Amino acid sequence: MMGLLDDLVGSLEGGQGQGNQLGQLQAIWSWVQEQGGIEALLHKFQQGGLGDVLGSWIGTGNNQPVDSGDMQSAFGQPELQSLADKLGTDVQGASGTLALLLPQLIDKMSPQGQLDDQSLHDNQLDLGSMVDQLFKR
């Protein structure tokens, strides 16, 4: 059950501060749920003109990079402030963390190169329960 998050944290650059990154991942996951889940997130990316970028994270090729400015165009100030509060940072810090971690999160949730409804549903449950289990220890 823990594989996805462990892989994700293990794959993050440098492996430094893994406890902190797990905390950030949980904050981002909880925030994603508040935004309406992955599907709502996908919609915001498409509205923000980042559909192609998002497609690269879901597909099996290289992930296109994003920066904090991209995150700020996809999400409004209130949403990013909500994430900033969870991460204990400001909007700039939150959008930077999101730009770093979200592509990897989406990438890990679409190992077959697609996010179909069933895998989305399964992964939401799995990832959510993994995050919960991880932080109940």
Side-chain angles (χ1 to χ4, degrees):
M1 270 305 265
M2 302 303 301
L4 183 65
L5 272 186
D6 288 341
D7 287 352
L8 186 57
V9 172
S11 71
L12 296 173
E13 288 78 44
Q16 301 298 312
Q18 288 195 348
N20 185 35
Q21 285 178 324
L22 282 174
Q24 290 177 332
L25 277 174
Q26 187 183 27
I28 288 172
W29 182 247
S30 147
W31 177 79
V32 164
Q33 297 307 304
E34 286 175 12
Q35 301 307 308
I38 293 288
E39 288 163 354
L41 220 59
L42 302 182
H43 188 63
K44 288 189 183 196
F45 269 87
Q46 285 159 344
Q47 283 185 316
L50 296 170
D52 290 346
V53 173
L54 190 71
S56 77
W57 303 348
I58 294 170
T60 53
N62 290 333
N63 292 344
Q64 286 183 32
V66 287
D67 60 28
S68 59
D70 294 325
M71 293 296 118
Q72 289 175 29
S73 70
F75 302 102
Q77 188 80 14
E79 287 106 328
L80 289 170
Q81 186 59 57
S82 159
L83 179 61
D85 293 344
K86 289 182 190 309
L87 292 170
T89 184
D90 58 14
V91 165
Q92 188 67 29
S95 46
T97 300
L98 196 59
L100 176 70
L101 295 180
L102 192 62
Q104 300 181 62
L105 191 61
I106 301 288
D107 196 41
K108 294 286 182 195
M109 288 181 71
S110 54
Q112 310 306 316
Q114 60 189 29
L115 277 174
D116 61 62
D117 289 340
Q118 189 58 46
S119 70
L120 200 61
H121 183 69
D122 293 347
N123 275 325
Q124 276 188 324
L125 294 175
D126 290 349
L127 189 59
S129 58
M130 274 192 281
V131 170
D132 290 343
Q133 284 177 1
L134 209 56
F135 291 94
K136 279 179 187 152
R137 290 186 191 183

